[in-house]
Amino acid sequence: ISIVTMAFITSSYASSLPKVIACTSYGVGVAGHTVASGLGEAVNKLTPMQWRVEPYGTDIERLAPLKYEESEFSLTTSVTAFLASSGLDEFGAPDWGPQPVRIACMGSVVVPGLYARANSGINSVLDLKGRRLPDIKGNATVMREIEAILAFAGLSWADVKKVPVGGFGAAMQAVLDGDIDASLGSIFSPKVKELASGPHGCRFLEMPASDIEGWKRVQKMVPAMFPATQKKVPGLEKDVELFGVSYSLYCYPWLKDEVVYNVVKAVAEGYDIFKSAHPWLSQWKLENMTRNIGAMPFHPGSVKFFKEAGIWTDELEAYQAQELAAEKVRTGK
């Protein structure tokens, strides 16, 4: 009887859900693609839905399928989601504007920062005044993050020299080559490790959490950035206080509540399935799914699951109401 009952429940459950759902991600070989694929393992095993990962090269490409209701989810950074929901930078184009982005669940925190050669005389963000920074075409998210870091020290783009580079990787290579003085990167980047082990050494420019005014300026510009500490690793002599952003799962309001509910539940309950696939995936725990949020509402399907799981608080309820109201002002809807 139990087998028959289970078969009936599964059949009934499956009938209200699509057979295949898609998640846009960063390109193959990039950490974000690995994370999206890992989450899919849990969805595939714990729901009747099959998870397909669709890699794209730019922020616009990753969100366009959601906007046009061709893909259900996107695994992207909280800064990209903020820019889209606010209609800033490339999302400020007439056919875009403020987007009704919804948080499905928050995920892994990554801790990048601006770095320079250790022997360059650049010891702090303030020391970047008059120095050469990259002008990375087609990467509005990174450029906005660099601008916010400059604001931490009361600087702006007008205080530095912008040097055009061909991309994010090219910017890191330019620091190695001495063509620019600083760029954004992670301590795990091969090019950063190469600089750290070379004759010039590497120094990350700290953004101490204790600098309240500096962080007010950062978060006024990009609320999705928050203080975070990178623990000591080879090549760095101590822990460094930089900034954190979250690689998280986002969707649009058109997506049915039951789809979001079941996906988020599968990720929360399937942690053991994917936790070892990549270091970032080890952070996709239930207790982290409502942390480090930034300036956009949750999807109702997520809220339903979080309430059932006991992690939805009065503070989150107030946040949700605030962000829904703010979105109406932004979009006029």
Side-chain angles (χ1 to χ4, degrees):
I1 294 174
S2 62
I3 295 175
V4 173
T5 304
M6 179 59 73
F8 173 79
I9 292 172
T10 303
S11 173
S12 225
Y13 174 53
S15 66
S16 65
L17 296 170
K19 291 182 179 179
V20 179
I21 53 175
C23 177
T24 68
S25 80
Y26 293 78
V28 176
V30 176
H33 185 273
T34 304
V35 170
S37 300
L39 300 178
E41 289 298 311
V43 174
N44 292 343
K45 290 181 180 179
L46 300 180
T47 80
M49 299 179 287
Q50 288 299 302
W51 178 273
R52 185 177 70 238
V53 179
E54 298 177 337
Y56 292 100
T58 68
D59 294 337
I60 288 286
E61 288 175 334
R62 278 186 286 278
L63 283 185
L66 277 67
K67 177 184 178 184
Y68 297 115
E69 302 187 17
E70 296 168 353
S71 299
E72 286 78 10
F73 295 92
S74 182
L75 190 287
T76 192
T77 74
S78 52
V79 174
T80 297
F82 163 72
L83 295 178
S85 68
S86 302
L88 295 173
D89 299 339
E90 56 196 345
F91 295 103
D95 56 337
W96 279 88
Q99 297 296 296
V101 178
R102 295 288 181 271
I103 301 169
C105 65
M106 302 306 289
S108 44
V109 172
V110 296
V111 187
L114 276 181
Y115 67 94
R117 291 181 173 188
N119 60 1
S120 64
I122 301 173
N123 300 307
S124 69
V125 177
L126 188 61
D127 291 337
L128 291 172
K129 188 170 185 178
R131 299 294 192 127
R132 301 165 298 170
L133 266 65
D135 185 4
I136 309 172
K137 302 302 181 184
N139 199 325
T141 296
V142 169
M143 293 301 289
R144 178 70 65 155
E145 289 171 350
I146 294 175
E147 186 179 19
I149 295 171
L150 290 173
F152 177 81
L155 302 178
S156 72
W157 284 119
D159 296 304
V160 299
K161 300 172 184 176
K162 295 174 77 172
V163 178
V165 295
F168 185 51
M172 289 190 282
Q173 184 63 46
V175 179
L176 271 171
D177 295 341
D179 295 330
I180 61 175
D181 297 303
S183 190
L184 192 74
S186 158
I187 61 168
F188 300 108
S189 165
K191 291 186 185 297
V192 172
K193 289 181 178 179
E194 185 179 348
L195 181 66
S197 62
H200 302 290
C202 177
R203 174 181 292 113
F204 275 86
L205 310 181
E206 295 204 58
M207 302 171 68
S210 59
D211 189 337
I212 305 300
E213 293 305 312
W215 270 105
K216 282 182 180 178
R217 290 189 292 270
V218 171
Q219 294 184 323
K220 182 179 180 181
M221 188 171 292
V222 186
M225 293 170 65
F226 49 87
T229 298
Q230 178 59 64
K231 298 297 183 181
K232 182 172 64 174
V233 296
L236 291 175
E237 67 281 2
K238 62 184 180 67
D239 295 351
V240 287
E241 292 187 81
L242 302 171
F243 74 94
V245 295
S246 177
Y247 268 87
S248 298
L249 204 57
Y250 298 94
C251 56
Y252 270 52
W254 61 262
L255 188 55
K256 291 181 178 180
D257 291 4
E258 57 263 34
V259 174
V260 180
Y261 171 89
N262 281 287
V263 165
V264 176
K265 184 177 183 181
V267 171
E269 296 181 353
Y271 178 73
D272 288 340
I273 295 172
F274 57 72
K275 66 181 181 182
S276 301
H278 189 277
W280 289 358
L281 279 165
S282 66
Q283 299 181 50
W284 286 74
K285 299 177 180 179
L286 175 63
E287 59 265 32
N288 293 333
M289 288 185 168
T290 56
R291 294 178 179 172
N292 303 312
I293 49 183
M296 70 206 72
F298 285 89
H299 192 282
S302 303
V303 175
K304 179 184 177 184
F305 172 71
F306 295 145
K307 285 181 176 178
E308 289 182 6
I311 64 168
W312 191 257
T313 63
D314 290 342
E315 290 78 12
L316 286 170
E317 188 69 28
Y319 166 87
Q320 181 79 349
Q322 170 190 305
E323 293 306 322
L324 287 170
E327 181 182 87
K328 284 185 178 180
V329 174
R330 285 196 301 271
T331 63
K333 297 178 182 179

